[in-house]
Amino acid sequence: MSARGRAPARPAPNRRCSACGHVDKRNRPDQETFVCTSCGFAEHADVNAARDIAARGVTSWAVSHAA
């Protein structure tokens, strides 16, 4: 949490590569297309965002349930 009590901002999942994690606004050349400018991974933009959100959920769950 920040000093103002808000969680730190995370990059939008529509710009983060679900394969390598690279974030760049140029990864989304148009509404439907995702092409990573770092690793070249390409996929429908909605599918890429869904994979990124799912991976974050798994990571958050694992951290919150660590003994």
Side-chain angles (χ1 to χ4, degrees), residues 15-37:
R15 294 182 178 172
R16 178 187 294 272
C17 178
S18 62
C20 74
H22 178 73
V23 178
D24 189 334
K25 66 182 180 180
R26 295 173 298 161
N27 286 347
R28 288 283 302 272
D30 59 51
Q31 181 69 26
E32 296 180 356
T33 308
F34 181 92
V35 181
C36 181
T37 58

Side-chain angles (χ1 to χ4, degrees), residues 3 5 7 10 16 18 20 23 27 34 47-48 54 58-60 64-65:
R10 291 185 178 172
R16 178 187 294 272
S18 62
C20 74
V23 178
N27 286 347
F34 181 92
V47 175
N48 180 71
V58 168
T59 301
S60 293
S64 68
H65 287 79

